[in-house]
Amino acid sequence: MNSRLFEDEVKPEKPIPVFLQNPDGSFAEGVPPGYREKSPPLTPRGSAGSQWYDESVAEEFEYLYCRHEKLFLSLLLAEFTAELTFNCLYVYYAEYSLREVSLVYHHLSQKTLWTLFWVMFGLECAFCAVYYSLGFVAIAKHRPSYYRYFANSALVGFLGQVLLAYMNKFNLLVFFLRLMAYIYAKFLRNLLQSMLLLPTSGQVDREAH
């Protein structure tokens, strides 16, 4: 009887997996020899499978997206109006602005400053054309990829505002609006991705049968 108790005490434990955290924050699973993962539970069928699905959830997501899409469109139009007005004023007062820049960069001639002015202004106009085109296309197409493209262009835009400060063209309002557009585009992209993960009523009906 004592030997049987001893065998029970030294009986090896059931092997379990070990989880390790990598330096980048991700996790890795170490599985011992002979370990087998438990089979996941089967997908519920019939009426039980459709209990978790509620069409009101999809409708709420769609309503939330449409509402925020309108706000994003208003933000984009306000930014376009502000930037168009600012660029017109910048060209109108170009001589005064270059005079201030020449006080800082004494070694540059007036011709060089004017060349830099028109080059940077042309690049700014080209960027605005791409930037607003991506924004309006994202609103029209309702695809997460277009919102990602727009968010990347917005990131380049408000970082480029820092570089334009060297030509006395930094605008705090435009910088703030581009930053808001970047955040809003990321939010709408994540919201669209969540909506795409929701099953349709047809898929739920097929599972029920």
Side-chain angles (χ1 to χ4, degrees), residues 5-206:
L5 285 173
F6 180 75
E7 289 177 358
D8 293 338
E9 291 177 357
V10 299
K11 186 177 180 180
E13 296 182 357
K14 186 178 179 180
I16 57 174
V18 178
F19 294 91
L20 304 175
Q21 185 175 9
N22 297 320
D24 60 353
S26 60
F27 288 90
E29 181 183 7
V31 180
Y35 176 78
R36 297 184 64 181
E37 294 281 355
K38 294 182 180 180
S39 300
L42 298 176
T43 304
R45 299 291 179 180
S47 60
S50 59
Q51 288 178 355
W52 65 273
Y53 177 77
D54 189 359
E55 290 186 359
S56 62
V57 176
E59 293 176 357
E60 185 176 353
F61 265 94
E62 186 175 357
Y63 171 77
L64 185 66
Y65 172 76
C66 292
R67 188 177 184 123
H68 283 285
E69 187 184 46
K70 293 178 181 178
L71 292 175
F72 177 71
L73 178 60
S74 301
L75 174 64
L76 207 61
L77 291 174
E79 183 183 0
F80 176 77
T81 304
E83 196 156 3
L84 180 63
T85 304
F86 175 71
N87 284 332
C88 291
L89 291 175
Y90 184 66
V91 172
Y92 184 78
Y93 294 103
E95 187 175 351
Y96 173 77
S97 179
L98 286 179
R99 192 182 306 120
E100 288 186 341
V101 174
S102 64
L103 296 177
V104 180
Y105 303 99
H106 304 284
H107 58 284
L108 295 179
S109 63
Q110 286 292 324
K111 183 179 179 180
T112 304
L113 289 176
W114 276 107
T115 303
L116 290 174
F117 170 83
W118 289 115
V119 168
M120 295 188 72
F121 183 76
L123 291 175
E124 174 75 6
C125 292
F127 168 79
C128 288
V130 175
Y131 174 79
Y132 289 107
S133 297
L134 289 174
F136 292 125
V137 168
I139 294 174
K141 295 295 185 180
H142 311 290
R143 292 182 182 177
S145 58
Y146 287 106
Y147 279 106
R148 186 179 72 249
Y149 299 149
F150 175 80
N152 293 336
S153 66
L155 180 63
V156 173
F158 71 76
L159 290 178
Q161 278 290 310
V162 179
L163 298 177
L164 291 175
Y166 291 99
M167 287 300 294
N168 199 24
K169 199 181 181 298
F170 179 79
N171 188 288
L172 186 60
L173 177 61
V174 174
F175 180 85
F176 175 74
L177 289 174
R178 285 183 182 175
L179 180 61
M180 289 296 297
Y182 169 78
I183 297 173
Y184 227 137
K186 297 281 286 185
F187 169 73
L188 288 174
R189 173 176 174 264
N190 294 333
L191 187 60
L192 267 178
Q193 287 179 332
S194 301
M195 291 174 61
L196 292 175
L197 294 176
L198 292 175
T200 61
S201 57
Q203 290 176 338
V204 176
D205 292 339
R206 285 195 298 270

